[in-house]
Amino acid sequence: MSSEGSAGEAATEAQGLNPGLVVLLVVGGLLVTFLVANYAMYMYAQKTLPPKKKKPISKKKLKREKLKQGVPVPGE
């Protein structure tokens, strides 16, 4: 009986890697690949895309900025 038990253990060891480990490695590999690809695309976009245009400042904001800088308000 003991010889059958050791043969069963040898058969389980010969199966290969633990399925949980295989799933973990596959998911980890996909995650790393995704992050590396994202970073590569980000760097490519930074080099090739033109810089964003600034939005025009509204007259209200321009007036407010002048007041903050100490330009005298008309009527005072």
Side-chain angles (χ1 to χ4, degrees):
M1 260 237 210
S2 63
S3 62
E4 288 177 14
S6 60
E9 288 175 14
T12 53
E13 287 180 18
Q15 275 183 345
L17 294 174
N18 182 1
L21 181 65
V22 172
V23 170
L24 187 66
L25 287 173
V26 168
V27 170
L30 289 173
L31 182 66
V32 168
T33 305
F34 174 75
L35 292 174
V36 168
N38 256 353
Y39 181 71
M41 286 192 298
Y42 172 76
M43 295 305 291
Y44 175 74
Q46 290 297 313
K47 289 179 186 176
T48 57
L49 292 178
K52 288 185 179 179
K53 293 181 181 177
K54 291 184 180 178
K55 291 183 181 177
I57 300 173
S58 67
K59 290 181 182 179
K60 232 184 212 181
K61 284 187 180 180
L62 196 60
K63 199 181 271 186
R64 195 178 300 144
E65 287 298 319
K66 284 183 180 177
L67 289 173
K68 282 183 183 177
Q69 290 173 2
V71 176
V73 181
E76 279 190 14

XYZ file of all heavy atoms in Angstrom:
567
model
N 0.806 -1.187 0.000
C 0.000 0.000 0.000
C 0.848 1.249 0.000
O 0.528 2.199 -0.681
C -0.874 -0.013 1.259
C -2.228 -0.467 0.930
S -3.394 0.647 1.353
C -4.811 0.100 1.743
N 1.930 1.228 0.722
C 2.767 2.414 0.812
C 3.440 2.693 -0.537
O 3.734 3.826 -0.861
C 3.813 2.262 1.910
O 4.666 1.186 1.586
N 3.701 1.640 -1.336
C 4.317 1.861 -2.642
C 3.352 2.576 -3.581
O 3.758 3.375 -4.402
C 4.788 0.532 -3.253
O 3.672 -0.313 -3.451
N 2.054 2.275 -3.447
C 1.064 2.960 -4.282
C 0.966 4.438 -3.901
O 0.798 5.297 -4.771
C -0.307 2.293 -4.105
C -0.396 0.928 -4.764
C -1.738 0.278 -4.496
O -2.658 0.994 -4.041
O -1.858 -0.920 -4.736
N 1.093 4.740 -2.631
C 1.003 6.141 -2.168
C 2.153 6.960 -2.718
O 1.962 8.081 -3.169
N 3.354 6.420 -2.725
C 4.494 7.189 -3.223
C 4.406 7.343 -4.736
O 4.829 8.355 -5.294
C 5.812 6.524 -2.822
O 5.871 5.222 -3.377
N 3.813 6.365 -5.414
C 3.652 6.474 -6.868
C 2.640 7.567 -7.191
O 2.791 8.298 -8.165
C 3.203 5.136 -7.441
N 1.634 7.715 -6.371
C 0.629 8.757 -6.580
C 1.240 10.142 -6.388
O 0.943 11.074 -7.129
N 2.127 10.293 -5.422
C 2.797 11.570 -5.187
C 3.694 11.926 -6.369
O 3.746 13.069 -6.797
C 3.623 11.505 -3.907
C 2.777 11.501 -2.641
C 3.623 11.319 -1.398
O 4.856 11.459 -1.485
O 3.059 11.025 -0.335
N 4.384 10.934 -6.891
C 5.276 11.180 -8.023
C 4.464 11.596 -9.249
O 4.905 12.430 -10.035
C 6.083 9.925 -8.326
N 3.279 11.040 -9.390
C 2.438 11.391 -10.530
C 1.964 12.846 -10.418
O 1.916 13.559 -11.412
C 1.250 10.443 -10.613
N 1.641 13.294 -9.207
C 1.193 14.689 -9.057
C 2.351 15.649 -9.294
O 2.155 16.727 -9.839
C 0.589 14.941 -7.654
O 1.522 14.520 -6.667
C -0.727 14.235 -7.499
N 3.550 15.299 -8.905
C 4.704 16.159 -9.149
C 5.035 16.233 -10.637
O 5.496 17.252 -11.125
C 5.923 15.637 -8.381
C 5.828 15.893 -6.881
C 7.041 15.373 -6.140
O 8.068 15.138 -6.790
O 6.949 15.200 -4.922
N 4.763 15.149 -11.361
C 5.077 15.117 -12.785
C 4.056 15.907 -13.616
O 4.291 16.155 -14.784
C 5.131 13.674 -13.260
N 2.937 16.284 -13.022
C 1.909 17.031 -13.761
C 2.437 18.351 -14.288
O 2.058 18.793 -15.349
C 0.718 17.319 -12.848
C -0.272 16.174 -12.791
C -1.468 16.557 -11.940
O -1.418 17.519 -11.202
N -2.532 15.782 -12.035
N 3.229 19.036 -13.526
C 3.771 20.320 -13.972
C 3.535 21.399 -12.938
O 3.477 21.114 -11.742
N 3.400 22.615 -13.416
C 3.243 23.750 -12.504
C 1.862 23.786 -11.879
O 0.893 23.269 -12.426
C 3.476 25.055 -13.273
C 4.884 25.301 -13.798
C 4.899 26.551 -14.662
C 5.868 25.455 -12.663
N 1.804 24.420 -10.760
C 0.550 24.625 -10.056
C -0.351 25.516 -10.919
O 0.083 26.565 -11.388
C 0.879 25.303 -8.723
C -0.334 25.518 -7.873
O -1.438 25.160 -8.252
N -0.138 26.132 -6.719
N -1.594 25.162 -11.167
C -2.483 25.978 -12.012
C -2.680 27.398 -11.478
O -2.781 28.346 -12.244
C -3.810 25.220 -12.001
C -3.488 23.853 -11.540
C -2.236 23.919 -10.753
N -2.707 27.546 -10.173
C -2.830 28.881 -9.582
C -1.640 29.752 -9.919
O -1.776 30.943 -10.209
N -0.469 29.162 -9.923
C 0.754 29.893 -10.268
C 0.737 30.298 -11.735
O 1.139 31.412 -12.090
C 1.976 29.021 -9.972
C 3.336 29.639 -10.253
C 3.576 30.833 -9.339
C 4.429 28.612 -10.073
N 0.239 29.419 -12.586
C 0.160 29.724 -14.019
C -0.779 30.911 -14.247
O -0.447 31.854 -14.974
C -0.326 28.489 -14.816
C -0.606 28.853 -16.266
C 0.703 27.375 -14.731
N -1.940 30.903 -13.593
C -2.896 32.001 -13.727
C -2.272 33.300 -13.220
O -2.386 34.348 -13.855
C -4.204 31.687 -12.965
C -5.110 32.906 -12.882
C -4.925 30.529 -13.619
N -1.598 33.229 -12.085
C -0.953 34.408 -11.515
C 0.106 34.973 -12.458
O 0.179 36.185 -12.673
C -0.336 34.052 -10.168
C 0.242 35.203 -9.363
C -0.867 36.148 -8.928
C 0.996 34.684 -8.158
N 0.896 34.095 -13.045
C 1.939 34.553 -13.974
C 1.338 35.171 -15.233
O 1.820 36.187 -15.724
C 2.852 33.381 -14.345
C 3.811 32.911 -13.250
C 4.521 31.646 -13.699
C 4.800 33.993 -12.903
N 0.281 34.570 -15.756
C -0.356 35.102 -16.968
C -0.963 36.475 -16.692
O -0.756 37.429 -17.446
C -1.439 34.129 -17.491
C -2.296 34.784 -18.560
C -0.774 32.870 -18.032
N -1.703 36.609 -15.589
C -2.331 37.880 -15.246
C -1.257 38.936 -14.969
O -1.365 40.078 -15.425
C -3.285 37.713 -14.034
C -3.764 39.066 -13.520
C -4.463 36.841 -14.416
N -0.224 38.561 -14.244
C 0.872 39.495 -13.959
C 1.574 39.928 -15.229
O 1.888 41.108 -15.404
N 1.806 38.997 -16.141
C 2.451 39.328 -17.409
C 1.609 40.270 -18.246
O 2.122 41.217 -18.846
N 0.300 40.031 -18.279
C -0.598 40.923 -19.024
C -0.620 42.315 -18.416
O -0.617 43.319 -19.138
C -2.011 40.345 -19.059
C -2.205 39.108 -19.936
C -3.614 38.544 -19.748
C -1.968 39.446 -21.391
N -0.626 42.402 -17.087
C -0.637 43.694 -16.415
C 0.639 44.481 -16.706
O 0.585 45.667 -17.031
C -0.808 43.492 -14.907
C -0.880 44.762 -14.061
C -2.142 45.540 -14.412
C -0.853 44.418 -12.596
N 1.774 43.810 -16.628
C 3.047 44.473 -16.908
C 3.093 44.919 -18.367
O 3.528 46.033 -18.674
C 4.229 43.532 -16.560
C 5.533 44.070 -17.105
C 4.315 43.335 -15.061
N 2.638 44.063 -19.272
C 2.608 44.421 -20.695
C 1.729 45.641 -20.926
O 2.101 46.553 -21.666
C 2.072 43.240 -21.523
O 2.871 42.080 -21.236
C 2.110 43.531 -22.999
N 0.568 45.675 -20.285
C -0.350 46.811 -20.421
C 0.304 48.104 -19.940
O 0.228 49.139 -20.607
C -1.621 46.519 -19.619
C -2.584 47.669 -19.571
C -3.354 47.984 -20.677
C -2.723 48.425 -18.420
C -4.254 49.043 -20.638
C -3.606 49.495 -18.377
C -4.373 49.798 -19.488
N 0.957 48.051 -18.780
C 1.580 49.258 -18.230
C 2.734 49.739 -19.104
O 2.876 50.944 -19.341
C 2.068 48.980 -16.803
C 0.965 48.762 -15.765
C 1.551 48.353 -14.427
C 0.114 50.008 -15.611
N 3.542 48.824 -19.611
C 4.668 49.205 -20.469
C 4.146 49.812 -21.774
O 4.664 50.826 -22.253
C 5.581 47.984 -20.733
C 6.581 48.267 -21.832
C 6.300 47.587 -19.450
N 3.106 49.216 -22.345
C 2.541 49.739 -23.593
C 1.942 51.129 -23.368
O 2.104 52.021 -24.200
C 1.477 48.781 -24.123
N 1.261 51.322 -22.247
C 0.701 52.638 -21.926
C 1.801 53.681 -21.827
O 1.673 54.780 -22.358
C -0.052 52.590 -20.590
C -1.533 52.580 -20.781
O -2.025 52.736 -21.884
N -2.250 52.415 -19.697
N 2.868 53.367 -21.143
C 3.978 54.306 -20.978
C 4.621 54.624 -22.324
O 4.932 55.772 -22.614
C 5.015 53.728 -20.006
C 6.178 54.656 -19.763
C 6.008 55.821 -19.022
C 7.427 54.387 -20.301
C 7.062 56.689 -18.806
C 8.488 55.258 -20.100
C 8.299 56.402 -19.338
O 9.345 57.254 -19.147
N 4.793 53.606 -23.150
C 5.403 53.817 -24.470
C 4.522 54.731 -25.325
O 5.026 55.649 -25.987
C 5.608 52.476 -25.164
N 3.207 54.508 -25.315
C 2.300 55.366 -26.091
C 2.295 56.791 -25.556
O 2.243 57.753 -26.321
C 0.880 54.795 -26.077
C 0.721 53.564 -26.948
S -0.993 53.088 -27.213
C -1.547 52.740 -25.585
N 2.374 56.947 -24.236
C 2.418 58.275 -23.635
C 3.665 59.030 -24.079
O 3.590 60.199 -24.465
C 2.381 58.150 -22.105
C 2.614 59.445 -21.387
C 1.620 60.403 -21.309
C 3.839 59.716 -20.775
C 1.824 61.605 -20.660
C 4.063 60.914 -20.126
C 3.051 61.847 -20.061
O 3.268 63.039 -19.422
N 4.815 58.358 -24.050
C 6.061 59.007 -24.462
C 6.017 59.354 -25.949
O 6.460 60.423 -26.356
C 7.267 58.111 -24.162
C 7.496 57.882 -22.682
S 7.664 59.396 -21.719
C 9.213 59.997 -22.322
N 5.468 58.482 -26.763
C 5.347 58.729 -28.204
C 4.448 59.942 -28.453
O 4.751 60.799 -29.276
C 4.783 57.487 -28.898
C 4.518 57.685 -30.367
C 5.563 57.746 -31.277
C 3.221 57.839 -30.846
C 5.329 57.938 -32.631
C 2.975 58.036 -32.193
C 4.034 58.078 -33.081
O 3.789 58.280 -34.412
N 3.333 60.019 -27.715
C 2.397 61.136 -27.893
C 3.045 62.452 -27.462
O 2.821 63.484 -28.089
C 1.130 60.881 -27.091
N 3.835 62.418 -26.405
C 4.485 63.644 -25.941
C 5.444 64.186 -26.992
O 5.599 65.382 -27.145
C 5.248 63.386 -24.632
C 4.354 63.128 -23.442
C 3.473 64.304 -23.089
O 3.927 65.435 -23.023
N 2.201 64.043 -22.877
N 6.088 63.294 -27.703
C 7.068 63.722 -28.710
C 6.402 64.182 -30.000
O 6.859 65.113 -30.642
C 8.027 62.567 -29.033
C 8.992 62.258 -27.915
C 9.878 61.102 -28.277
C 10.744 60.679 -27.112
N 11.543 59.499 -27.405
N 5.323 63.535 -30.410
C 4.775 63.776 -31.743
C 3.610 64.758 -31.780
O 3.467 65.476 -32.757
C 4.313 62.464 -32.387
O 3.355 61.856 -31.536
C 5.484 61.528 -32.604
N 2.770 64.788 -30.753
C 1.599 65.664 -30.801
C 1.999 67.111 -30.531
O 2.876 67.363 -29.708
C 0.560 65.233 -29.761
C -0.130 63.904 -30.016
C -1.097 63.597 -28.880
C -0.900 63.929 -31.320
N 1.367 68.065 -31.207
C 1.678 69.471 -30.927
C 1.153 69.872 -29.550
O 0.211 69.257 -29.040
C 0.930 70.221 -32.030
C -0.165 69.315 -32.435
C 0.366 67.917 -32.232
N 1.740 70.887 -28.931
C 1.250 71.304 -27.613
C -0.169 71.877 -27.706
O -0.576 72.393 -28.742
C 2.241 72.387 -27.178
C 2.929 72.814 -28.418
C 2.877 71.654 -29.368
N -0.908 71.756 -26.624
C -2.290 72.247 -26.605
C -2.304 73.769 -26.699
O -1.453 74.451 -26.135
C -2.975 71.832 -25.301
C -3.285 70.371 -25.217
C -4.061 70.083 -23.943
C -4.407 68.625 -23.839
N -5.130 68.329 -22.604
N -3.303 74.289 -27.401
C -3.461 75.736 -27.498
C -4.102 76.249 -26.216
O -4.986 75.612 -25.657
C -4.343 76.094 -28.695
C -3.717 75.766 -30.013
C -4.641 76.169 -31.160
C -4.013 75.812 -32.492
N -4.906 76.122 -33.613
N -3.661 77.416 -25.778
C -4.245 78.015 -24.582
C -5.594 78.626 -24.933
O -5.780 79.170 -26.013
C -3.318 79.101 -24.028
C -2.040 78.558 -23.459
C -1.223 79.667 -22.841
C 0.058 79.103 -22.264
N 0.898 80.169 -21.685
N -6.525 78.537 -24.004
C -7.846 79.120 -24.214
C -7.727 80.636 -24.107
O -6.971 81.150 -23.276
C -8.824 78.613 -23.157
C -9.173 77.157 -23.298
C -10.195 76.757 -22.247
C -10.529 75.288 -22.365
N -11.455 74.868 -21.305
N -8.472 81.372 -24.916
C -8.439 82.828 -24.798
C -9.034 83.273 -23.461
O -10.014 82.690 -22.986
C -9.284 83.310 -25.963
C -10.118 82.143 -26.344
C -9.341 80.919 -25.969
N -8.438 84.302 -22.852
C -8.917 84.790 -21.563
C -10.092 85.733 -21.806
O -10.043 86.605 -22.680
C -7.788 85.536 -20.819
C -6.612 84.591 -20.585
C -8.277 86.070 -19.483
C -5.391 85.263 -20.006
N -11.156 85.552 -21.020
C -12.341 86.393 -21.187
C -12.058 87.807 -20.658
O -11.146 88.022 -19.861
C -13.529 85.783 -20.451
O -13.294 85.831 -19.051
N -12.861 88.767 -21.096
C -12.680 90.159 -20.676
C -12.884 90.306 -19.176
O -12.218 91.096 -18.516
C -13.648 91.068 -21.441
C -13.293 91.214 -22.890
C -14.259 92.138 -23.609
C -13.897 92.237 -25.080
N -14.842 93.102 -25.805
N -13.805 89.523 -18.615
C -14.066 89.571 -17.178
C -12.825 89.167 -16.394
O -12.444 89.825 -15.426
C -15.213 88.607 -16.856
C -16.343 89.180 -16.079
C -17.351 88.079 -15.761
C -18.742 88.653 -15.724
N -19.744 87.662 -15.400
N -12.206 88.076 -16.808
C -11.007 87.599 -16.117
C -9.865 88.583 -16.283
O -9.082 88.806 -15.362
C -10.590 86.218 -16.655
C -11.448 85.096 -16.152
C -10.906 83.759 -16.571
C -11.760 82.626 -16.061
N -11.228 81.323 -16.463
N -9.753 89.195 -17.453
C -8.702 90.169 -17.711
C -8.873 91.372 -16.785
O -7.906 91.860 -16.193
C -8.763 90.608 -19.172
C -7.551 91.318 -19.734
C -6.311 90.441 -19.663
C -7.803 91.735 -21.171
N -10.114 91.809 -16.608
C -10.406 92.944 -15.724
C -10.059 92.590 -14.283
O -9.469 93.381 -13.548
C -11.892 93.287 -15.838
C -12.241 94.671 -15.358
C -13.732 94.937 -15.487
C -14.069 95.514 -16.846
N -15.483 95.921 -16.945
N -10.415 91.376 -13.870
C -10.142 90.911 -12.506
C -8.639 90.862 -12.240
O -8.176 91.245 -11.168
C -10.776 89.531 -12.302
C -10.872 89.134 -10.847
C -11.550 87.787 -10.655
N -12.921 87.786 -11.177
C -13.488 86.737 -11.770
N -12.808 85.625 -11.943
N -14.715 86.791 -12.205
N -7.864 90.369 -13.219
C -6.407 90.304 -13.071
C -5.812 91.700 -12.929
O -4.903 91.911 -12.132
C -5.776 89.585 -14.276
C -5.999 88.092 -14.276
C -5.380 87.390 -13.079
O -4.239 87.757 -12.690
O -6.034 86.494 -12.524
N -6.312 92.655 -13.689
C -5.816 94.031 -13.592
C -6.097 94.602 -12.208
O -5.264 95.300 -11.634
C -6.441 94.911 -14.671
C -5.852 94.682 -16.038
C -6.454 95.629 -17.056
C -5.854 95.382 -18.425
N -6.461 96.245 -19.454
N -7.289 94.300 -11.662
C -7.627 94.778 -10.324
C -6.699 94.173 -9.273
O -6.310 94.847 -8.322
C -9.080 94.456 -9.990
C -10.140 95.260 -10.741
C -11.530 94.717 -10.447
C -10.067 96.733 -10.366
N -6.365 92.915 -9.426
C -5.456 92.251 -8.482
C -4.067 92.880 -8.523
O -3.379 92.945 -7.518
C -5.343 90.755 -8.801
C -6.521 89.942 -8.328
C -6.288 88.475 -8.628
C -7.469 87.629 -8.237
N -7.276 86.220 -8.593
N -3.640 93.307 -9.697
C -2.293 93.865 -9.841
C -2.209 95.304 -9.313
O -1.131 95.849 -9.183
C -1.866 93.841 -11.315
C -1.617 92.442 -11.830
C -1.352 92.421 -13.326
O -1.324 93.454 -13.975
N -1.161 91.211 -13.859
N -3.315 95.919 -8.981
C -3.295 97.243 -8.389
C -3.547 98.369 -9.357
O -3.296 99.527 -9.051
N -4.053 98.071 -10.513
C -4.404 99.122 -11.463
C -5.638 99.832 -10.909
O -6.594 99.175 -10.510
C -4.690 98.527 -12.870
C -5.141 99.619 -13.832
C -3.474 97.800 -13.392
N -5.604 101.164 -10.834
C -6.735 101.880 -10.213
C -8.041 101.655 -10.967
O -8.058 101.623 -12.195
C -6.326 103.357 -10.281
C -5.225 103.425 -11.286
C -4.576 102.074 -11.307
N -9.111 101.472 -10.203
C -10.430 101.224 -10.783
C -11.019 102.561 -11.195
O -10.975 103.529 -10.425
C -11.334 100.528 -9.743
C -12.716 100.245 -10.328
C -10.688 99.269 -9.238
N -11.582 102.666 -12.389
C -12.184 103.940 -12.786
C -13.342 104.315 -11.859
O -14.147 103.459 -11.484
C -12.682 103.690 -14.201
C -12.428 102.276 -14.518
C -11.663 101.662 -13.413
N -13.378 105.590 -11.446
C -14.456 106.053 -10.577
C -14.033 106.170 -9.137
O -14.808 106.585 -8.291
N -12.814 105.787 -8.773
C -12.373 105.883 -7.372
C -11.474 107.066 -7.181
O -10.762 107.485 -8.011
C -11.633 104.611 -6.949
C -12.582 103.512 -6.586
C -11.848 102.334 -5.944
O -10.688 102.487 -5.565
O -12.468 101.276 -5.841
